[in-house]
Amino acid sequence: MARSVMSAMLQNPSMAAKSILKSRGWNRQVMRSIAAVFSGNMSASVLGAFGGLLAARFLGPEDTGHYRAFTIPLTYLTCLHLGTFDGLWRQIPFFIGKEEHEKVNRIAAVSGAWNIIISLIASTTFLILSLSALIRHNYPAAGAWAAQMLFAWSIYYGGYLGATYRTINQFAAQAKIQFIQATLTFAAVFTMPFLGFYGICIRSSVPAVMGIALLHRRRPLKVRYRLDWKELWGVVRIGAPFTLWGSLSTSIWTATESTLMYMFGGAKSLGLFAVAVLMRETLAILPQAVNQVLTPRVVETYAREGCLRKANNKAITTTFALTGAMVILTVLLSILIQFMVPRAIPKYVEGIHLMQICLWVAVLQAASLPFNTLFATGRSWLYGRGVILGLLCFPISTYLLAPLTGGMVAVAVGSLIGRAARILVAYGEIALLIRREAA
């Protein structure tokens, strides 16, 4: 009986939302959801970090950086989903709060169709580049472009599928899939001693495709994909502005970091930065898990209550506690890195200071949880103003610091300054909105 009720809730998101919101143990369920997502993501992250360290023992920063250079174009092209990810992130919980589950199915159908089309276009482009390199007997480039051909499906269709996992039970299922994918990625590390550079290509692409297959099999909205321009425009109209700012502050920001690292120090600097990114992403698992569960709760509250203050209250208390915890963890890991890196990955000793700086990105991610309040309003410009200021502070700070600290450190510190500026502007926007609401 319990299983049939759970099945019905998964098939009907609005039923799930009503059941959750009406239950007395709502907060307890949310905490359990965060714990499930965090434990799954943390297990996956530990595997990923350990696998990354093993990969760093097998290959030097030059090889790692050489492969990472091939990933930069796809990182810049992430925005081709046109905001469907952000649109679904906002609209699915919003329409659940409005109890319009048929609308949820329609927007999921058109968003899925669009991302399949983009996946086909992107993968075909990288296939052509791979074949072109193969004809020229540039086998490493052929392998790297082939990896991007497969990984493109993870970026677009995988990103779409991930955006449809919106209820508490679905978060736990998604975390399990991510753990399975991380296990496959870890296992692929052991191809590197035999395949070298081509082992990196396999490790970055094949497990990603397997992850997509699992996400597709367990997808919560099993709709028939069809391209309806009117419905697509409804998703894009909401999501594209957030994607513009979101892409600038995530994928394009990261791609710019990689580009500047490559400009300042070549493949070796990019390889050192790749390990630093691995460490900061591992540490950021906790704030990401909290944000993943918190976002739909904030949006549902705003849709149901129409009160920004109540929606923000769900984020602000958690933010203070989480940020403090992340500061402590960052300090402890910064000390640990000094002893761990020379013994575990001696080829990357030159990047210790860079790794320690990059860890502080996780602290800023924890401090960014109130961004959900701006996201709930659907008014992207409120978020965009902070992104613009951050993007101005990032290169200016890097330019001013480069003569004093060197290029690699300047990029890392400049990135932190830009992220901090973005957060301060967002906090100001939230305070102003709540003050106007109370007036």
Side-chain angles (χ1 to χ4, degrees), residues 259-281:
T259 302
L260 291 174
M261 288 288 179
Y262 192 75
M263 288 174 56
F264 279 117
K268 184 175 182 179
S269 292
L270 193 55
L272 295 173
F273 180 63
V275 175
V277 170
L278 170 67
M279 292 183 176
R280 82 183 185 190
E281 289 179 351

Side-chain angles (χ1 to χ4, degrees), residues 81 83-93 96 104 107-108 111-112 115 154-167 170-171 174 178 215 220-221 235 292 295-296 375:
H81 64 79
T84 51
F85 301 169
D86 296 273
L88 290 175
W89 265 75
R90 198 265 181 180
Q91 295 298 77
I92 287 179
I96 286 176
V104 171
I107 63 176
S111 299
N115 282 286
S154 177
I155 293 291
Y156 300 113
Y157 187 57
Y160 155 76
L161 290 173
T164 62
Y165 284 69
R166 296 289 85 205
T167 67
Q170 293 161 7
F171 289 138
Q174 187 179 20
Q178 290 171 343
L215 285 172
L221 298 173
V235 179
Q292 185 177 5
T295 299
F375 185 68

Side-chain angles (χ1 to χ4, degrees), residues 129-172:
L129 290 171
S130 179
L131 292 175
S132 176
L134 190 62
I135 292 171
R136 299 193 310 270
H137 302 290
N138 188 347
Y139 300 118
W145 287 127
Q148 304 315 302
M149 175 190 69
L150 296 176
F151 195 72
W153 283 89
S154 177
I155 293 291
Y156 300 113
Y157 187 57
Y160 155 76
L161 290 173
T164 62
Y165 284 69
R166 296 289 85 205
T167 67
I168 283 181
N169 296 293
Q170 293 161 7
F171 289 138

Side-chain angles (χ1 to χ4, degrees), residues 214-266:
L214 292 172
L215 285 172
H216 177 81
R217 182 180 179 182
R218 295 289 303 275
R219 64 194 188 280
L221 298 173
K222 296 183 179 181
V223 296
R224 183 177 181 181
Y225 300 135
R226 60 185 181 85
L227 200 57
D228 183 316
W229 295 109
K230 183 178 179 180
E231 288 289 351
L232 181 62
W233 170 245
V235 179
V236 171
R237 182 175 55 85
I238 292 294
F242 281 108
T243 290
L244 171 62
W245 307 120
S247 295
L248 288 174
S249 61
T250 54
S251 60
I252 292 179
W253 193 296
T254 302
T256 302
E257 288 176 324
S258 297
T259 302
L260 291 174
M261 288 288 179
Y262 192 75
M263 288 174 56
F264 279 117

Side-chain angles (χ1 to χ4, degrees), residues 93-131:
F94 184 84
F95 287 120
I96 286 176
K98 294 289 187 181
E99 301 184 10
E100 298 181 24
H101 56 272
E102 286 300 325
K103 180 69 172 179
V104 171
N105 290 336
R106 292 199 299 271
I107 63 176
V110 298
S111 299
W114 176 257
N115 282 286
I116 287 176
I117 292 172
I118 295 302
S119 297
L120 286 169
I121 293 173
S123 60
T124 301
T125 301
F126 289 120
L127 175 60
I128 293 172
L129 290 171
S130 179
L131 292 175

